Amino acid sequence: MKQNLLFSILFFCLGTMLIGQSQRKVLIEHFTQASCGPCASINPVIQPIMERNKAKITKITHQVSWPGVDPMNKDNPGEVQNRVNYYGVTGVPDIFLNAYSSGNPTATITDATIQNEYLRPAPYEISIINKVLPDYNSMEVSVTVKLTGTFSGKPVLRVAALEKIISWTTPPGSNGEKTFYHVVKKYLPNTNGTSLADVNQTGQSKTFTFIYKFDKLYNFQNLETAAFIQDDATKEVHQSENLIVAFPANPGNDVAIKLSNATGVYGDSIVCGNKTSPIVKVINTGNKSITSLDFKYQVNGGAFSNYNWTGKLDFLKEIDIKLPAIDFVALKGQNNLSLEISAVNGDVDINTINNISNLTFQSAPSTTIHSTFEIKPTTQPTQLSFAIRDDQNKIILQDGPFTDNSSRTYVLDLEKDRCYRVSSTNNTASLNGTYKIFDEQINLIFQQRILGVGTVSRDFSTYSLVTGTHEPFNASVLFLTPNPANQEVFLNFDSEKTGIASLSFMDLTGKQIFEKQINLIAGKNKQAIAIHQLASGVYFARLFQDNQMRSMKFIVN
């Protein structure tokens, strides 16, 4: 009888302690490196342990910057270093289980240590929803936190985008490892995390939404997200969760423009002359194989060019398509490309919202046929040289290395409507000079500082450039600043004439959620639009006037 009473008391006490508590998922933060010799020995020992306990853990791997080469660290060195500093990591491999480390990874990570932490009740619940956005180049991560017990301290929610597995055909470092797991790509919004101070009542929950733009991914189909709650006062981790990102196929013909560039080279933003060949990266997001794509595109509101691509593109496969060159009236400074996929397999795309791309590029600065080139070396003139080539790669001027740091001036006799490139070569990491180009009226066309080891090039031309303020309405791209925003955005655009335009916002499903008539004046316009009523997420703004449209994607946070 006494034993039954004692059992009842113990059960009651234990039950009271567990009321409102949640099942804990254990966080493991792994610090390693592709050129770390001991890592290559220890990682294969602990990886199988974590794999057979994968339902009980959330794993995040940080590829650190030492002791040698690791390209994965270069993808996000700052945030990795922040976590190194947070724990005071001084050597790799090192590993933390709910912020605890024994110093020896094989002692920190065992079936028993994981099980012991897993059985400890947690005061929070975490759930994650990942939503790939229509451009298939970004995703929305929604994390809901619920307080199920009591907690005091400095709770912080940290969210990260990871690559579940990165496989190399040859080792990226010197230790022979070719496979890396759960590598952090980006913290959302950063490693500081989001305070949970206002989630302070048992049963209270709150959802946080983040946008992650895919960046420096080896295979976007290996994406996953991780979230954990950490007490910044003690570093103790109180809950974690992870979720693989799913990429469901849409029914029918569905493609998305993932990336585009007006210059024909991703990452470049300058076109020399009045002709360019755009490039576009397209992904098949539907369950039908794509064999035909119709493109229409224009620059600065000029005539449309059309192009039909044929081939084979299966689900989640990507292709870079180089579009035929298009002539355009080059504007001084900013130019605008409008590009659209108008048909897929000869039919309408089921989701056209991700088939439009509006982007800007710059014209190379233009000078006169009689110009002046000036260069001034600084600290180490013997380490500096330059060459100027025409658009046939013929050298028209070169000099250096120099014997002193005095300024040199050269006369350039150029040809009309030609492109030229200045290439400066510097063999020292310091600032080692400046060069300038002047036209025949001694107006400064552009200048360039020479900094860092290597060869750096800049283009210029003798083409005539049109002042951009005279461009027609449909040549302008709609600009919204700031982006992202949370209270209001400013619409910046040029209009050819005074009149009324219709502004609308649409969500990612294409549903219109906002419309407003606005008055335009001829010339530059800037208007504030309140957006505090919009939920966090990605939207498309469209401005219509006289059957002309311009659009832009923007983010509300």
Side-chain angles (χ1 to χ4, degrees):
M1 189 70 178
K2 289 182 180 179
Q3 288 181 335
N4 289 341
L5 178 60
L6 179 60
F7 179 81
S8 298
I9 292 172
L10 289 173
F11 182 82
F12 176 80
C13 292
L14 181 61
T16 301
M17 181 183 70
L18 295 180
I19 287 175
Q21 300 289 292
S22 301
Q23 173 63 60
R24 181 183 297 267
K25 198 167 188 179
V26 183
L27 177 71
I28 294 176
E29 285 189 85
H30 187 193
F31 295 84
T32 185
Q33 221 254 358
S35 294
C36 156
C39 299
S41 300
I42 291 177
N43 289 345
V45 176
I46 61 177
Q47 178 59 32
I49 300 173
M50 293 184 286
E51 179 62 24
R52 63 177 172 257
N53 288 283
K54 61 184 178 182
K56 301 175 182 178
I57 69 170
T58 297
K59 187 191 175 191
I60 297 176
T61 300
H62 302 94
Q63 302 290 137
V64 303
S65 61
W66 77 92
V69 174
D70 191 324
M72 293 168 288
N73 173 265
K74 290 180 171 59
D75 294 337
N76 189 6
E79 291 192 329
V80 170
Q81 187 61 42
N82 288 345
R83 295 306 284 173
V84 166
N85 296 341
Y86 187 86
Y87 286 115
V89 175
T90 57
V92 289
D94 202 354
I95 201 160
F96 291 80
L97 186 148
N98 277 353
Y100 166 78
S101 173
S102 70
N104 184 344
T106 57
T108 303
I109 303 301
T110 67
D111 291 299
T113 56
I114 292 173
Q115 182 68 6
N116 289 340
E117 283 298 302
Y118 179 72
L119 291 177
R120 290 176 55 215
Y124 291 95
E125 289 179 357
I126 299 175
S127 61
I128 303 173
I129 297 176
N130 299 318
K131 180 181 179 181
V132 179
L133 300 182
D135 62 3
Y136 267 68
N137 212 28
S138 52
M139 68 178 179
E140 181 182 87
V141 183
S142 296
V143 180
T144 300
V145 173
K146 182 178 181 180
L147 183 61
T148 57
T150 57
F151 182 81
S152 62
K154 292 179 62 179
V156 172
L157 171 68
R158 290 189 166 93
V159 180
L162 320 171
E163 260 189 276
K164 188 172 182 289
I165 184 170
I166 299 176
S167 297
W168 299 78
T169 54
T170 58
S174 62
N175 72 356
E177 287 186 289
K178 294 190 291 186
T179 305
F180 303 83
Y181 302 93
H182 310 281
V183 178
V184 66
K185 306 305 296 186
K186 180 73 179 74
Y187 278 90
L188 308 173
N190 50 51
T191 52
N192 291 333
T194 304
S195 173
L196 296 178
D198 58 345
V199 184
N200 50 28
Q201 301 295 320
T202 302
Q204 182 183 1
S205 64
K206 187 173 182 179
T207 299
F208 304 86
T209 301
F210 309 91
I211 300 296
Y212 169 59
K213 182 174 175 57
F214 299 169
D215 187 32
K216 299 182 177 67
L217 298 177
Y218 298 91
N219 184 349
F220 76 94
Q221 296 181 51
N222 283 330
L223 270 172
E224 66 173 329
T225 53
F228 60 98
I229 298 170
Q230 188 163 33
D231 184 354
D232 271 353
T234 65
K235 293 187 171 60
E236 184 178 0
V237 176
H238 292 277
Q239 186 59 286
S240 74
E241 188 56 88
N242 65 299
L243 183 66
I244 295 173
V245 178
F247 295 89
N250 296 320
N253 296 324
D254 190 23
V255 298
I257 295 176
K258 284 196 68 175
L259 195 63
S260 58
N261 188 282
T263 72
V265 178
Y266 296 125
D268 194 3
S269 61
I270 298 177
V271 170
C272 186
N274 54 15
K275 180 177 291 192
T276 191
S277 300
I279 189 171
V280 57
K281 185 185 292 294
V282 178
I283 182 172
N284 182 1
T285 55
N287 62 5
K288 286 189 176 181
S289 181
I290 305 302
T291 58
S292 172
L293 294 170
D294 291 332
F295 293 89
K296 57 185 296 188
Y297 52 106
Q298 64 174 181
V299 176
N300 293 337
F304 276 101
S305 284
N306 297 282
Y307 176 69
N308 174 252
W309 170 88
T310 57
K312 191 172 188 297
L313 192 64
D314 293 324
F315 176 59
L316 288 189
K317 297 299 183 181
E318 303 174 1
I319 188 170
D320 290 315
I321 300 173
K322 195 74 174 282
L323 302 179
I326 183 173
D327 294 315
F328 67 98
V329 176
L331 305 180
K332 185 176 182 180
Q334 181 173 287
N335 295 260
N336 307 297
L337 169 72
S338 298
L339 185 151
E340 178 183 355
I341 298 175
S342 55
V344 180
N345 288 343
D347 203 350
V348 177
D349 192 304
I350 64 171
N351 184 16
T352 59
I353 200 168
N354 51 21
N355 297 160
I356 299 173
S357 176
N358 288 310
L359 63 157
T360 63
F361 63 95
Q362 303 291 316
S363 288
S366 176
T367 189
T368 53
I369 59 174
H370 301 297
S371 295
T372 304
F373 178 80
E374 177 186 290
I375 187 168
K376 185 178 186 342
T378 52
T379 55
Q380 299 188 53
T382 60
Q383 302 301 310
L384 179 64
S385 61
F386 78 89
I388 300 178
R389 293 176 169 82
D390 64 15
D391 47 22
Q392 301 300 313
N393 205 35
K394 177 183 176 181
I395 294 177
I396 64 169
L397 177 67
Q398 64 179 345
D399 204 350
F402 302 100
T403 57
D404 57 60
N405 62 0
S406 61
S407 180
R408 276 90 168 164
T409 301
Y410 311 81
V411 174
L412 299 177
D413 290 319
L414 309 172
E415 297 181 27
K416 181 66 174 169
D417 295 336
R418 296 287 298 276
C419 290
Y420 298 88
R421 173 167 292 181
V422 184
S423 297
S424 58
T425 300
N426 185 28
N427 294 318
T428 178
S430 61
L431 176 64
N432 203 24
T434 303
Y435 66 78
K436 303 175 182 179
I437 288 184
F438 300 88
D439 67 11
E440 61 187 2
Q441 284 80 40
I442 318 300
N443 296 311
L444 176 65
I445 302 302
F446 74 91
Q447 62 181 342
Q448 176 71 49
R449 298 198 311 162
I450 304 169
L451 175 65
V453 176
T455 299
V456 178
S457 299
R458 281 200 64 178
D459 293 340
F460 67 99
S461 80
T462 54
Y463 283 88
S464 298
L465 302 179
V466 177
T467 303
T469 55
H470 299 304
E471 60 190 274
F473 176 88
N474 65 334
S476 296
V477 173
L478 180 66
F479 288 96
L480 292 90
T481 56
N483 189 8
N486 54 27
Q487 293 296 320
E488 66 178 4
V489 290
F490 289 91
L491 276 64
N492 300 271
F493 45 89
D494 292 348
S495 177
E496 190 179 38
K497 61 183 181 180
T498 299
I500 297 176
S502 174
L503 174 70
S504 61
F505 294 165
M506 295 178 298
D507 64 17
L508 292 176
T509 67
K511 178 182 177 183
Q512 181 173 296
I513 58 173
F514 172 89
E515 185 175 22
K516 180 180 181 180
Q517 300 298 310
I518 58 176
N519 295 315
L520 300 177
I521 61 171
K524 294 187 178 299
N525 290 259
K526 183 175 183 178
Q527 296 193 28
I529 304 294
I531 59 169
H532 62 271
Q533 76 278 14
L534 299 181
S536 297
V538 178
Y539 297 89
F540 288 86
R542 288 185 174 178
L543 188 68
F544 292 89
Q545 185 191 41
D546 295 338
N547 295 320
Q548 302 285 352
M549 181 196 78
R550 26 180 157 170
S551 65
M552 180 181 176
K553 181 171 69 175
F554 70 101
I555 297 171
V556 176
N557 59 11

